Amino acid sequence: MEEKIQKYQENIFESIKHIDEDGVEYWEARELMKALKYTKWENFNKTIEKAKISCISSKYNVEDHFPDLRKIVKAGATTKPICDYKLSRYACYLIVQNGDSRKIEIALGQTYFAIQTRKAELTEEYLKEYDNLSEDEKRLRKRKVIKKNNYDLNRTARDVGVKNFGEFHNAGYKGLYNGETADDIAKRKGLRYREEILDNMCSDELIANEFRIMLAKQKIQNENIKGEKSASDAHHKVGAIVRNSIKEAGGTMPEDLPTPKKSLKELEKKELKKINGGSTYLYLTKIKAIN
């Protein structure tokens, strides 16, 4: 029941979301009014006015979040102008917070827009923090994310019948790297035998692979793909799509990006040596040798 409610609240508000020419999401007030089960614009407009006051109290510019959206609609044989608003996510959040919480639609809206607003805040905080990281710190962070995403992709692939994971992952690499396998990439980078290629990528190259991995998992799940060959074909197609997107955007092809001077394994060892004057690194090395 709880899952159904969550899907309902996501669908009802996602279905009326718009994206403007700058790629910014917004909601139209009159469409939101219907979703929240208001029958009269006059009543809903009172809630909007309360939300505007909340916006001012929070020291935000009302015009940034509640810009007018004038419309011409049919009125019998003629037309007439009506008032509407192009609402930001934050404006919608303030509206539902000022609505009648006894209505189930308002309660669902409060949950939906609270979550979406918080997600956006966390994303902005992450991007600000990420921009201040060094290139090596970005690599380390992205590599950790990719390990988790690769684990999820492997589970998804296994569930649909993939057994040869080497071929499955090579299919994705071939799509992204214009036919190169993992071994081909390793040779081009001048890596030692069995040295992990993902540990020897710059942050931009890791981002391209992160996108490939994430989309491959989604494609297999969303299209209900079954069987090893179909899953590998899907992975190859996703890799090619990411490659074409990079090309169309005027980006640098992944094989043309520079290989870092130090692998992430070397960087991790260096960081371990710094801890307690290197004692932690020596301790871990001994434990590894014993095992």
Side-chain angles (χ1 to χ4, degrees), residues 73-185:
V73 297
K74 288 184 178 181
T78 61
T79 59
K80 67 174 183 178
I82 61 169
C83 176
D84 204 346
Y85 294 98
K86 181 180 177 180
L87 304 170
S88 69
R89 185 195 316 105
Y90 182 61
C92 294
Y93 169 73
L94 293 177
I95 288 170
V96 294
Q97 289 300 317
N98 282 278
D100 185 355
S101 59
R102 291 173 297 180
K103 296 175 64 176
I104 182 64
E105 293 80 14
I106 291 289
L108 291 173
Q110 288 174 348
T111 302
Y112 173 81
F113 286 109
I115 291 172
Q116 295 304 314
T117 300
R118 184 54 184 153
K119 279 183 180 178
E121 289 172 349
L122 290 172
T123 299
E124 289 174 9
E125 289 171 9
Y126 173 82
L127 290 175
K128 286 180 182 177
E129 181 190 356
Y130 185 78
D131 286 341
N132 291 326
L133 296 176
S134 68
E135 169 60 13
D136 285 340
E137 287 171 332
K138 289 177 181 178
R139 289 173 61 208
L140 285 164
R141 180 167 293 193
K142 282 295 170 189
R143 185 68 179 98
K144 288 179 181 178
V145 173
I146 286 177
K147 282 182 180 178
K148 169 64 169 60
N149 288 343
N150 248 335
Y151 175 76
D152 291 341
L153 175 59
N154 284 339
R155 288 185 61 184
T156 299
R158 180 199 64 199
D159 291 343
V160 301
V162 171
K163 295 180 179 178
N164 190 333
F165 285 92
E167 287 300 316
F168 173 72
H169 288 292
N170 269 333
Y173 283 127
K174 285 179 180 179
L176 180 58
Y177 289 85
N178 199 30
E180 288 188 347
T181 65
D183 285 343
D184 294 330
I185 297 168

Side-chain angles (χ1 to χ4, degrees), residues 209-227:
N209 279 279
E210 178 188 0
F211 195 36
R212 166 185 60 80
I213 293 164
M214 179 186 67
L215 287 181
K217 183 191 77 169
Q218 290 180 358
K219 184 176 180 64
I220 292 170
Q221 291 177 333
N222 294 343
E223 298 181 13
N224 196 27
I225 290 170
K226 302 292 183 184

